[in-house]
Amino acid sequence: MDLSRLAAEIEPISQRYAEKIGVDRDDTWFLLKLQEEIGELTQAFLMRSGRARTKGRTAEELDAGFREELADVLCHVILMAHHHGVDLEAEVERKWLAWKP
């Protein structure tokens, strides 16, 4: 997956969302929004793993919710990197892939 291309595709979606609800996407917003999404991922994980109430959702709905929250976290990491001019692909290469055998 080309993260730069994905950033270009999700950026306008995030902009429209912020405009619709009247939010300024500043440095703090990007961090707090990511934190919010991590909290939602945590809740989805706890529900899916039987550690929180399921609110009447089926196993399939719990799985779908977990997958959706993973996607939200990924997209908000990409949005934050894009906002700060960070090339995530280069950083993954430098930080993680340098350890490949």
Side-chain angles (χ1 to χ4, degrees), residues 81-99:
H82 179 75
H83 174 75
H84 288 282
V86 174
D87 180 344
L88 276 180
E89 290 180 73
E91 292 305 315
V92 168
E93 290 259 346
R94 183 189 65 74
K95 176 80 178 182
W96 285 86
L97 299 182
W99 296 99

Side-chain angles (χ1 to χ4, degrees), residues 17 42 52 80 90 96:
Y17 167 81
T42 301
M80 187 172 186
W96 285 86

Side-chain angles (χ1 to χ4, degrees), residues 24-35:
D24 179 26
R25 296 180 327 142
D26 61 6
D27 292 351
T28 302
W29 181 86
F30 281 96
L31 180 62
L32 293 177
K33 189 64 178 170
L34 176 58
Q35 184 64 45

Side-chain angles (χ1 to χ4, degrees), residues 9-77:
E9 290 185 40
I10 63 177
E11 177 64 26
I13 296 165
S14 178
Q15 286 176 353
R16 280 195 309 273
Y17 167 81
E19 289 168 5
K20 182 178 179 180
I21 64 171
V23 171
D24 179 26
R25 296 180 327 142
D26 61 6
D27 292 351
T28 302
W29 181 86
F30 281 96
L31 180 62
L32 293 177
K33 189 64 178 170
L34 176 58
Q35 184 64 45
E36 176 188 14
E37 295 300 340
I38 291 170
E40 291 174 6
L41 174 60
T42 301
Q43 181 180 20
F45 172 80
L46 291 172
M47 291 169 67
R48 183 176 178 250
S49 65
R51 294 181 181 102
R53 60 191 174 94
T54 61
K55 302 178 182 178
R57 295 182 185 144
T58 66
E60 292 80 19
E61 291 170 328
L62 294 173
D63 284 343
F66 179 69
R67 292 190 308 268
E68 289 169 2
E69 295 305 333
L70 280 170
D72 284 349
V73 168
L74 175 64
C75 286
H76 280 282
V77 166

